């Protein structure tokens, strides 16, 4: 990516962005709302046209618009583009259908059996269960639709994967499966651009992290050299620790909250076991600690329920 810029009218969205991605490398892309992260992904996917700058892929200069799939670029968008009235198999192989020749080798037709078998294997690899492959995707939940979009990209012969997923839309099990897939792609020698605001995932999974702020690259640094607090400062464009720590909660995911609840429950269990063997004074102190943990537990439970309602209402709105 060389000096890429894009504006909508008088609004400049990204400005003079440059970076590289190598084979076998996972690069994280982070940016708060309005940073230009989504627009950059659309440019790399060939769906938006840049005002200036260049894209070089395998030594070839790309011109917009381009077909990312034909070039070997797989793109997983936040909002999967699926054919609502098509079934699961048809959506997975849309534009990449498996065909077989007739006995004379002149004409071809869709090989439904081969596509069904491969679709079943892909969904099994993703840990996704469905009633039937003939089910229309319009009837599926948001996270299952997202997994079908991932399965579709897995049918491509890709050497670059661009992953732009809001992991909050996925359950914990699917989040973990996606992390495993990204590691597998890196092991297979693919280049991966992972766009996310889950800093824990980025710091633990990626080799390098690019942070955008107001349409510019605020930092391009190795993940093992970047700590969470500094990353948040770059995201917010703030040097004040108080502000950064206050906004820190905005980047905690539903899974992290659940993890906090599990840790609290575990410590509470240990404390309750100690109650029987402690003296009166220690027992009183321990009971106070248990009460504190219970308050934290209730707070985290409220956060979880609020997140569930948010996801449910968003799913209801999508179906409507």
């Amino acid at each position: 990516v060389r000096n890429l810029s894009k504006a909508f009218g008088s609004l400049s969205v990204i400005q003079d962005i440059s970076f590289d991605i190598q084979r076998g490398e996972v690069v994280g892309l982070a940016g708060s709302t309005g940073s230009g992260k989504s627009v950059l992904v659309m440019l790399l996917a060939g769906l938006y046209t840049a005002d200036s700058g260049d894209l070089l892929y395998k030594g070839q200069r790309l011109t917009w618009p381009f077909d990312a799939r034909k070039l070997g670029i797989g793109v997983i968008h936040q909002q999967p583009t699926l054919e609502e009235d098509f079934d699961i198999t048809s959506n997975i192989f849309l534009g990449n259908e498996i065909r077989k020749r007739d006995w004379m080798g002149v004409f071809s037709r869709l090989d439904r059996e081969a596509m069904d078998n491969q679709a079943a294997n892909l969904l099994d690899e993703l840990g996704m269960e469905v009633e039937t492959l003939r089910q229309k995707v319009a009837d599926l939940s948001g996270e299952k639709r997202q997994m079908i979009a991932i399965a579709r990209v897995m049918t491509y012969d890709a050497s670059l994967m661009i992953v732009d997923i809001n992991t909050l839309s996925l359950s914990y099990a699917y989040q973990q499966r996606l992390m495993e897939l990204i590691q597998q792609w890196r092991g297979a020698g693919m280049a991966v651009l992972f766009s996310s605001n889950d800093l824990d995932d980025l710091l633990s999974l990626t080799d390098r992290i690019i942070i955008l702020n107001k349409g510019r690259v605020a930092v391009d640094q190795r993940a093992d050299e970047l700590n969470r607090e500094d990353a948040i400062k770059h995201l917010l464009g703030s040097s004040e620790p108080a502000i950064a720590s206050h906004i820190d909660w905005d980047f905690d995911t539903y899974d992290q909250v659940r993890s906090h609840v599990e840790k609290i429950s575990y410590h509470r269990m240990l404390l309750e076991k100690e109650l029987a063997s402690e003296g009166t004074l220690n027992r009183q102190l321990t009971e106070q600690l248990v009460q504190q943990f219970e308050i934290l537990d209730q707070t985290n439970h409220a956060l979880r329920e609020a997140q569930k309602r948010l996801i449910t209402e968003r799913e209801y709105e999508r179906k409507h």
Side-chain angles (χ1 to χ4, degrees):
V1 180
R2 292 288 176 268
N3 307 115
L4 214 57
S5 296
K6 174 67 177 177
F8 294 100
S10 60
L11 177 62
S12 180
V13 184
I14 62 171
Q15 307 169 54
D16 200 33
I17 289 180
S18 299
F19 61 89
D20 297 299
I21 306 177
Q22 305 296 332
R23 285 185 175 272
E25 182 181 33
V26 178
V27 176
L29 179 65
S32 57
T33 303
S35 65
K37 183 162 60 79
S38 297
V39 172
L40 176 59
V41 168
M42 297 294 275
L43 287 167
L44 300 182
L47 300 175
Y48 284 175
T49 300
D51 296 330
S52 61
D54 295 303
L55 284 183
L56 299 173
Y57 179 66
K58 296 182 177 179
Q60 173 187 359
R61 184 178 181 274
L62 303 183
T63 55
W64 290 276
F66 54 83
D67 189 332
R69 181 179 64 84
K70 290 182 179 178
L71 291 171
I73 302 174
V75 185
I76 305 171
H77 296 282
Q78 283 192 24
Q79 299 296 331
T81 304
L82 303 176
E83 290 296 330
E84 301 291 334
D85 292 329
F86 284 14
D87 62 27
I88 293 173
T89 296
S90 298
N91 267 281
I92 291 177
F93 287 95
L94 188 63
N96 195 29
E97 292 84 0
I98 300 175
R99 295 180 176 272
K100 62 180 178 181
R101 297 284 180 180
D102 64 4
W103 64 276
M104 296 182 65
V106 178
F107 302 103
S108 68
R109 58 187 176 86
L110 294 179
D111 191 340
R112 292 290 307 192
E113 183 179 358
M115 289 193 294
D116 281 343
N117 289 336
Q118 191 168 334
N121 290 335
L122 287 171
L123 295 181
D124 183 63
E125 187 176 349
L126 292 172
M128 177 177 164
E129 296 182 359
V130 294
E131 295 178 4
T132 170
L133 293 172
R134 300 283 81 82
Q135 188 174 8
K136 290 183 179 181
V137 297
D139 300 328
L140 298 176
S141 66
E143 69 170 357
K144 286 192 174 181
R145 290 160 57 87
Q146 187 69 78
M147 298 309 287
I148 288 173
I150 295 174
R152 177 191 290 176
V153 173
M154 291 170 68
T155 66
Y156 300 169
D157 183 17
S159 53
L160 168 64
M161 284 288 187
I162 299 175
V163 183
D164 183 21
I165 293 182
N166 179 7
T167 53
L168 282 174
S169 65
L170 300 178
S171 65
Y172 178 72
Y174 286 146
Q175 288 179 34
Q176 296 306 303
R177 190 67 198 100
L178 176 62
M179 300 303 109
E180 292 170 2
L181 273 176
I182 291 175
Q183 290 176 330
Q184 289 176 14
W185 291 336
R186 171 169 51 194
M190 290 186 189
V192 181
L193 180 66
F194 180 31
S195 176
S196 174
N197 269 346
D198 189 323
L199 291 178
D200 287 336
D201 283 344
L202 293 180
L203 290 169
S204 64
L205 184 66
T206 63
D207 301 297
R208 212 170 80 244
I209 296 178
I210 297 170
I211 296 177
L212 301 184
N213 184 273
K214 296 181 180 179
R216 295 183 180 274
V217 175
V219 67
D220 183 348
Q221 190 172 342
R222 285 187 55 84
D224 56 7
E225 297 173 353
L226 184 66
N227 62 49
R228 183 184 175 88
E229 184 179 350
D230 288 340
I232 294 173
K233 289 178 185 178
H234 288 299
L235 279 167
L236 301 174
S238 171
S239 59
E240 298 182 27
I243 295 178
S245 61
H246 174 70
I247 305 297
D248 193 14
W249 280 96
D250 291 346
F251 298 97
D252 278 339
T253 62
Y254 168 54
D255 169 48
Q256 290 171 321
V257 173
R258 176 171 51 190
S259 176
H260 294 328
V261 173
E262 291 173 354
K263 289 178 182 177
I264 288 170
S265 298
Y266 174 72
H267 287 295
R268 183 176 61 187
M269 179 193 68
L270 293 179
L271 287 170
E272 288 174 346
K273 285 185 177 180
E274 292 178 1
L275 282 174
S277 58
E278 294 293 333
T280 303
L281 179 59
N282 285 342
R283 181 177 295 131
Q284 292 174 351
L285 292 173
T286 308
E287 287 174 349
Q288 290 176 12
L289 284 173
V290 170
Q291 290 174 2
Q292 294 292 330
F293 281 125
E294 286 177 346
I295 293 171
L296 284 173
D297 199 350
Q298 292 168 5
T299 303
N300 281 321
H301 178 72
L303 284 172
R304 292 173 59 192
E305 291 303 314
Q307 182 63 47
K308 286 180 182 178
R309 286 196 299 273
L310 212 72
I311 293 173
T312 301
E313 290 173 5
R314 181 171 55 191
E315 180 63 15
Y316 173 79
E317 177 106 358
R318 181 193 68 77
K319 288 185 177 180
H320 180 71

